[in-house]
Every structure is written in C-alpha cells, then in structure tokens.
Amino acid sequence: MYEADTLEELREILGDCTRCQLCASRTKLVYGYGDPHARLMFVGEAPGRAEDAQGLPFVGPAGKLLDDLLTGIGMRRSEVYITNVVKCRPPGNRDPLPEEIDTCNPFLQGQLSLIKPAVVCQLGRIAAGVMMKRSIQISKIHGQRFIGPGYFNVPVFHPAAALRTPSTKDLLRADFDNLKKYLEEDETPPEPPAPEPEQMGLF
Ligand code: URA
C-alpha cells in the first residue's frame, strides 16, 4: 500500500498514472468522489464512457440509477464515497484484466484505509470478486452482509444490469433497503482471521 495521510495525498501519488496499459486509452483518470469520512462506500468495476470524459465515477446512465437508489433510502451521493476497482476506462468497456486490477488495488486499499467506511457496497460481480477475494455469484449473495477487514461487504447487482433487466431494479431497491438497515444497526465488524497464503490471490 502507498503511504498517504489524506485522500488528496493518495491522489497525488497516483498522479498522471502510467502503471498499467489503461493509461494509453483513457481520457481522464477517475479517482473517486464523495465524503472522505463516509460510512457507506461504493466500489464499481471501472469507469465507462461518461466517467472517462468527466473524470467522475458513475455519472452516466448507471450513475443516474445509483443516485435514484440512494434517494430511495434518503441519501445523496455527497454523503457517500464512490470509486471503482480500476481508475481508468478499459477500451470498449471490456472487463478489467487481473494485472490491471492488481496494479490499481493498492489505491483502492488506500482509499478504504483512509475513509474507514462501516459498509462497503460492491456494485457488480467484478468488484465483489476482487474485494471478497473469491469468484462469486451475485445472484446468490446480493444484499447479504459479509465480514471484511474492518468493514462489512455488501455485494449488489451492478446498476447497469438493472438498466438491461428491469426486474433487477426491484432486487437493487430491496438491497439498498438492507444497506440502510446495516448502517442504522451500526455493528462493528470483527477483524477477520489473516488469510491463508493461497487465498491471497485476486480470485
Ligand atoms: N460502471 C462502473 O462500474 N463504474 C463507473 O464509474 C461507471 C459505470
């Protein structure tokens, strides 16, 4: 992990990043947005076209739905923190590659350790797989609360999936109600045991 005392310092270390090949095709790096002391943090997969153009996370159609889901539980995006597993748009919106995820992961871990959220909601299978360090089936575990290192993980469907399949929107709304409940319960997540060496890989 990189040494930084604030999100701004970590952003400076990230700089005009050329640590992986995504730098060649990106327009703007998308670091993150929101309250640096948020209790609820969202982690998506990677910037899309609108995010790459504006340098902000979830500002395209999926972001509009995210705002709508937040409104549904009485919250605004300025009260949460939103970022992605990788900070640059993969060409053609392909899935980020394991080496791109690995290279960017210290920055996600840095954001987590500076923000210290109580609940981290992973938007979609890729973010959930990276943060829970295993391959997951989002349809089986969405909306449930899992113990993470100092916070709870709550994987949900990616909002873009709900734009393609309207019935998924109802599942997302129900999962956001769960998020609100988890925040209100305000339980302290216990530290999990140190992972076995063979579990340290990304998937
Ligand atoms: N999809 C993501 O996963 N992240 C964004 O920032 C936008 C769309």
Side-chain angles (χ1 to χ4, degrees), residues 130-150:
V130 169
M131 288 197 63
M132 294 169 71
K133 299 195 176 75
R134 60 192 167 92
S135 161
I136 54 104
Q137 268 184 283
I138 202 83
S139 56
K140 295 232 168 93
I141 64 167
H142 67 91
Q144 295 176 37
R145 187 172 65 167
F146 297 87
I147 292 168

Side-chain angles (χ1 to χ4, degrees), residues 30 43-52 56-63 82-86 123-124 127 158-160:
V30 180
V43 180
E45 176 179 325
R49 184 188 297 277
E51 292 76 20
D52 177 65
L56 290 168
F58 282 94
V59 288
I82 309 173
T83 189
N84 285 298
V85 165
V86 297
L123 298 165
H158 196 289

Side-chain angles (χ1 to χ4, degrees), residues 120-125 128 132 134 136-146 153-158 161 167-179 182:
V120 181
C121 176
Q122 291 84 22
L123 298 165
R125 172 185 59 87
M132 294 169 71
R134 60 192 167 92
I136 54 104
Q137 268 184 283
I138 202 83
S139 56
K140 295 232 168 93
I141 64 167
H142 67 91
Q144 295 176 37
R145 187 172 65 167
F146 297 87
N153 286 313
V154 182
V156 303
F157 283 99
H158 196 289
S167 57
T168 303
K169 211 182 275 186
D170 297 333
L171 299 176
L172 262 173
R173 288 200 194 286
D175 289 348
F176 269 62
D177 288 341
N178 282 351
L179 281 178
Y182 298 146

Side-chain angles (χ1 to χ4, degrees), residues 6 8 14 63 89 100 123 160 171 180-181 184 199:
T6 63
E8 290 78 16
L14 184 54
R89 182 192 186 204
E100 294 160 355
L123 298 165
L171 299 176
K180 187 176 161 110
K181 190 181 76 185
E184 283 168 1
Q199 291 180 317

